[in-house]
Amino acid sequence: MKTTNELVQMKRDKEKITMVTAYDYPSAKQSEQAGLDTLLVGDSLGMTVLGYDSTVKVTLDDMIHHAKAVRRGAPDTYVVVDMPFGSYHTGDDAGVRNVLDLYRSTGANAVKLEGIECLEIIRRSVSAGVPVCAHLGLTPQSVGVTGFKMQAATTEGAEQLIEDAKRAEAAGATMIVLEAIPADLAEKVSDMLDIPTIGIGAGVNTDGQVLVYHDLLQYGSDRQPKFVKTYSDFNTAGVSGLKSYAAEVKESVFPDETTTYKKRVFDQ
Ligand code: KIV
């Protein structure tokens, strides 16, 4: 398993860091088998796995439940877990308590918080020993205010994001996710910081990339942000397999000889 320091070293060595979201045992297991450097138990699980229309309804208990399954599926991969909406917005003490709870109970390697209003929580969590990943640009927990669109697209917005990234690093963040921002800005921020940046919709010049598992594999996902590239089509493969199974049951083709216990227990 990579350590936080090794991820920083990868940046220095200009070796790209791979990250994908994982929400359960099988997606974690597959991602570890595929050799991903890091996994993110994103609160995007609210949409991809739980069928909500945003991340806002996801609870701390949901995150703990899913992150534990990911840890079991990928015992040897660096796991980052999201603090969900509302779990760090009601005061620094409550926020830090929730960070510690999430970190301790899941066995994750780092905890991610969106936005810059939580600087004090980042500072206190890091000094308590928890590696923290910041998240700037489009922060899905705030889409009610910002909308799902590119962020920091003006000069002032870009300058603000640069300031925020510096403050997050100074507060002790060990990594920063940059979401849906112009590629030249993401490159500038990546060059400026010592800690790795992980981009999603932020161009190729960040220190690593993250995509949502269900988007890149087309698994139950029907929305397609501009920045997603699909690498497989689980939707088609899954529906086709399920149709074949249902048809074979209807036609009494399944189960067959090979899938039936043959020992006779009744005389005929
Ligand atoms: O929750 C999530 O999946 C995320 C990624 C979009 C970075 O935060």
Side-chain angles (χ1 to χ4, degrees), residues 21 23 40 42-44 82 112 114 135 177 179 200 210 212:
T21 65
Y23 311 109
L40 169 63
D43 60 352
S44 52
D82 262 344
K112 176 162 82 61
E114 291 185 7
H135 183 156
V177 166
E179 180 165 357
I200 174 165
V210 57
V212 167

Side-chain angles (χ1 to χ4, degrees), residues 109-129:
N109 303 92
V111 169
K112 176 162 82 61
L113 297 94
E114 291 185 7
I116 201 67
E117 298 70 30
C118 53
L119 268 187
E120 186 54 23
I121 301 176
I122 297 182
R123 212 171 277 124
R124 285 173 55 183
S125 301
V126 172
S127 69

Side-chain angles (χ1 to χ4, degrees), residues 141-201:
Q141 291 171 12
S142 313
V143 290
V145 175
T146 61
F148 269 114
K149 60 176 195 295
M150 183 170 61
Q151 301 295 307
T154 60
T155 310
E156 304 77 64
E159 280 165 359
Q160 183 63 58
L161 190 132
I162 289 170
E163 256 338 281
D164 292 349
K166 283 184 189 158
R167 288 164 71 206
E169 181 174 64
T174 49
M175 211 189 300
I176 300 192
V177 166
L178 297 174
E179 180 165 357
I181 61 170
D184 63 339
L185 171 60
E187 181 175 2
K188 191 175 168 82
V189 172
S190 305
D191 288 348
M192 191 183 78
L193 300 179
D194 291 327
I195 57 173
T197 58
I198 308 291
I200 174 165

Side-chain angles (χ1 to χ4, degrees), residues 51-106:
Y52 299 142
D53 58 3
S54 79
T55 59
V56 165
K57 294 197 178 101
V58 176
T59 65
L60 194 59
D61 284 345
D62 290 333
M63 295 310 299
I64 291 173
H65 175 78
H66 285 273
K68 280 179 167 176
V70 168
R71 183 75 293 167
R72 288 192 290 271
D76 297 323
T77 305
Y78 190 96
V79 171
V80 181
V81 58
D82 262 344
M83 286 284 283
F85 179 79
S87 65
Y88 56 105
H89 305 92
T90 58
D92 292 348
D93 287 349
V96 174
R97 200 176 311 117
N98 287 336
V99 167
L100 300 185
D101 191 18
L102 186 61
Y103 182 68
R104 184 179 36 221
S105 57
T106 60

Side-chain angles (χ1 to χ4, degrees), residues 210-268:
V210 57
L211 277 181
V212 167
Y213 176 94
H214 290 63
D215 290 343
L216 85 94
L217 297 180
Q218 283 295 283
Y219 179 34
S221 147
D222 41 24
R223 72 200 169 95
Q224 197 63 279
K226 175 183 167 55
F227 50 77
V228 170
K229 179 170 174 186
T230 59
Y231 289 85
S232 201
D233 186 355
F234 282 20
N235 284 341
T236 304
V239 172
S240 151
L242 290 166
K243 277 186 178 164
S244 302
Y245 162 68
E248 289 198 355
V249 171
K250 293 275 186 200
E251 291 156 15
S252 300
V253 170
F254 175 83
D256 62 5
E257 285 284 289
T258 64
T259 44
T260 298
Y261 295 112
K262 288 191 196 118
K263 188 174 182 342
R264 285 199 169 277
V265 289
F266 295 112
D267 293 332
Q268 290 194 328

